[in-house]
PDB file of all heavy atoms in Angstrom:
ATOM      1  N   ALA A  37      13.237  31.935  12.274  1.00  0.00           N
ATOM      2  CA  ALA A  37      14.654  31.804  12.642  1.00  0.00           C
ATOM      3  C   ALA A  37      14.851  30.875  13.838  1.00  0.00           C
ATOM      4  O   ALA A  37      15.715  29.991  13.814  1.00  0.00           O
ATOM      5  CB  ALA A  37      15.241  33.176  12.928  1.00  0.00           C
ATOM      6  N   SER A  38      14.056  31.041  14.880  1.00  0.00           N
ATOM      7  CA  SER A  38      14.267  30.262  16.108  1.00  0.00           C
ATOM      8  C   SER A  38      13.922  28.783  15.932  1.00  0.00           C
ATOM      9  O   SER A  38      14.452  27.936  16.645  1.00  0.00           O
ATOM     10  CB  SER A  38      13.467  30.859  17.270  1.00  0.00           C
ATOM     11  OG  SER A  38      12.077  30.773  17.028  1.00  0.00           O
ATOM     12  N   HIS A  39      13.040  28.457  14.987  1.00  0.00           N
ATOM     13  CA  HIS A  39      12.665  27.059  14.762  1.00  0.00           C
ATOM     14  C   HIS A  39      13.354  26.452  13.538  1.00  0.00           C
ATOM     15  O   HIS A  39      13.104  25.290  13.200  1.00  0.00           O
ATOM     16  CB  HIS A  39      11.145  26.934  14.618  1.00  0.00           C
ATOM     17  CG  HIS A  39      10.397  27.208  15.893  1.00  0.00           C
ATOM     18  ND1 HIS A  39      10.263  26.281  16.896  1.00  0.00           N
ATOM     19  CD2 HIS A  39       9.755  28.326  16.327  1.00  0.00           C
ATOM     20  CE1 HIS A  39       9.569  26.801  17.890  1.00  0.00           C
ATOM     21  NE2 HIS A  39       9.250  28.041  17.569  1.00  0.00           N
ATOM     22  N   GLY A  40      14.198  27.238  12.872  1.00  0.00           N
ATOM     23  CA  GLY A  40      14.902  26.740  11.695  1.00  0.00           C
ATOM     24  C   GLY A  40      13.975  26.395  10.548  1.00  0.00           C
ATOM     25  O   GLY A  40      14.179  25.418   9.833  1.00  0.00           O
ATOM     26  N   LEU A  41      12.937  27.199  10.367  1.00  0.00           N
ATOM     27  CA  LEU A  41      11.931  26.949   9.335  1.00  0.00           C
ATOM     28  C   LEU A  41      12.078  27.925   8.176  1.00  0.00           C
ATOM     29  O   LEU A  41      12.706  28.979   8.317  1.00  0.00           O
ATOM     30  CB  LEU A  41      10.522  27.093   9.932  1.00  0.00           C
ATOM     31  CG  LEU A  41      10.205  26.195  11.123  1.00  0.00           C
ATOM     32  CD1 LEU A  41       8.875  26.587  11.753  1.00  0.00           C
ATOM     33  CD2 LEU A  41      10.184  24.738  10.692  1.00  0.00           C
ATOM     34  N   SER A  42      11.464  27.597   7.057  1.00  0.00           N
ATOM     35  CA  SER A  42      11.455  28.524   5.927  1.00  0.00           C
ATOM     36  C   SER A  42      10.035  28.945   5.557  1.00  0.00           C
ATOM     37  O   SER A  42       9.843  29.807   4.713  1.00  0.00           O
ATOM     38  CB  SER A  42      12.147  27.900   4.710  1.00  0.00           C
ATOM     39  OG  SER A  42      11.488  26.714   4.330  1.00  0.00           O
ATOM     40  N   VAL A  43       9.036  28.343   6.208  1.00  0.00           N
ATOM     41  CA  VAL A  43       7.640  28.692   5.929  1.00  0.00           C
ATOM     42  C   VAL A  43       6.775  28.444   7.165  1.00  0.00           C
ATOM     43  O   VAL A  43       7.057  27.534   7.947  1.00  0.00           O
ATOM     44  CB  VAL A  43       7.105  27.885   4.713  1.00  0.00           C
ATOM     45  CG1 VAL A  43       7.003  26.412   5.042  1.00  0.00           C
ATOM     46  CG2 VAL A  43       5.784  28.411   4.217  1.00  0.00           C
ATOM     47  N   LEU A  44       5.767  29.286   7.338  1.00  0.00           N
ATOM     48  CA  LEU A  44       4.787  29.118   8.422  1.00  0.00           C
ATOM     49  C   LEU A  44       3.390  29.178   7.835  1.00  0.00           C
ATOM     50  O   LEU A  44       3.077  30.116   7.093  1.00  0.00           O
ATOM     51  CB  LEU A  44       4.883  30.255   9.445  1.00  0.00           C
ATOM     52  CG  LEU A  44       6.037  30.332  10.407  1.00  0.00           C
ATOM     53  CD1 LEU A  44       5.863  31.546  11.320  1.00  0.00           C
ATOM     54  CD2 LEU A  44       6.142  29.077  11.239  1.00  0.00           C
ATOM     55  N   PRO A  45       2.527  28.225   8.187  1.00  0.00           N
ATOM     56  CA  PRO A  45       1.122  28.370   7.811  1.00  0.00           C
ATOM     57  C   PRO A  45       0.496  29.506   8.627  1.00  0.00           C
ATOM     58  O   PRO A  45       0.864  29.725   9.785  1.00  0.00           O
ATOM     59  CB  PRO A  45       0.494  27.033   8.196  1.00  0.00           C
ATOM     60  CG  PRO A  45       1.643  26.083   8.331  1.00  0.00           C
ATOM     61  CD  PRO A  45       2.797  26.920   8.776  1.00  0.00           C
ATOM     62  N   VAL A  46      -0.434  30.206   8.014  1.00  0.00           N
ATOM     63  CA  VAL A  46      -1.196  31.249   8.705  1.00  0.00           C
ATOM     64  C   VAL A  46      -2.598  30.698   8.884  1.00  0.00           C
ATOM     65  O   VAL A  46      -3.254  30.317   7.910  1.00  0.00           O
ATOM     66  CB  VAL A  46      -1.222  32.563   7.888  1.00  0.00           C
ATOM     67  CG1 VAL A  46      -2.051  33.625   8.618  1.00  0.00           C
ATOM     68  CG2 VAL A  46       0.194  33.061   7.640  1.00  0.00           C
ATOM     69  N   THR A  47      -3.047  30.616  10.136  1.00  0.00           N
ATOM     70  CA  THR A  47      -4.349  30.016  10.434  1.00  0.00           C
ATOM     71  C   THR A  47      -5.270  31.010  11.128  1.00  0.00           C
ATOM     72  O   THR A  47      -4.812  31.967  11.753  1.00  0.00           O
ATOM     73  CB  THR A  47      -4.195  28.769  11.333  1.00  0.00           C
ATOM     74  OG1 THR A  47      -3.591  29.164  12.570  1.00  0.00           O
ATOM     75  CG2 THR A  47      -3.348  27.702  10.668  1.00  0.00           C
ATOM     76  N   ASP A  48      -6.578  30.734  11.015  1.00  0.00           N
ATOM     77  CA  ASP A  48      -7.556  31.553  11.727  1.00  0.00           C
ATOM     78  C   ASP A  48      -7.778  30.971  13.117  1.00  0.00           C
ATOM     79  O   ASP A  48      -7.090  30.015  13.518  1.00  0.00           O
ATOM     80  CB  ASP A  48      -8.855  31.675  10.928  1.00  0.00           C
ATOM     81  CG  ASP A  48      -9.620  30.350  10.785  1.00  0.00           C
ATOM     82  OD1 ASP A  48      -9.270  29.355  11.467  1.00  0.00           O
ATOM     83  OD2 ASP A  48     -10.569  30.313   9.985  1.00  0.00           O
ATOM     84  N   GLY A  49      -8.741  31.487  13.849  1.00  0.00           N
ATOM     85  CA  GLY A  49      -9.026  31.051  15.214  1.00  0.00           C
ATOM     86  C   GLY A  49      -9.477  29.604  15.332  1.00  0.00           C
ATOM     87  O   GLY A  49      -9.370  29.004  16.398  1.00  0.00           O
ATOM     88  N   GLN A  50      -9.978  29.031  14.247  1.00  0.00           N
ATOM     89  CA  GLN A  50     -10.423  27.636  14.263  1.00  0.00           C
ATOM     90  C   GLN A  50      -9.362  26.686  13.702  1.00  0.00           C
ATOM     91  O   GLN A  50      -9.623  25.496  13.518  1.00  0.00           O
ATOM     92  CB  GLN A  50     -11.715  27.472  13.446  1.00  0.00           C
ATOM     93  CG  GLN A  50     -12.961  27.974  14.157  1.00  0.00           C
ATOM     94  CD  GLN A  50     -13.043  29.497  14.136  1.00  0.00           C
ATOM     95  OE1 GLN A  50     -12.807  30.123  13.113  1.00  0.00           O
ATOM     96  NE2 GLN A  50     -13.363  30.085  15.272  1.00  0.00           N
ATOM     97  N   GLY A  51      -8.176  27.202  13.403  1.00  0.00           N
ATOM     98  CA  GLY A  51      -7.100  26.364  12.887  1.00  0.00           C
ATOM     99  C   GLY A  51      -7.177  26.107  11.391  1.00  0.00           C
ATOM    100  O   GLY A  51      -6.469  25.252  10.873  1.00  0.00           O
TER     101      GLY A  51
END
Side-chain angles (χ1 to χ4, degrees):
S38 64
H39 291 280
L41 303 171
S42 60
V43 67
L44 287 181
V46 179
T47 61
D48 67 11
Q50 284 76 45

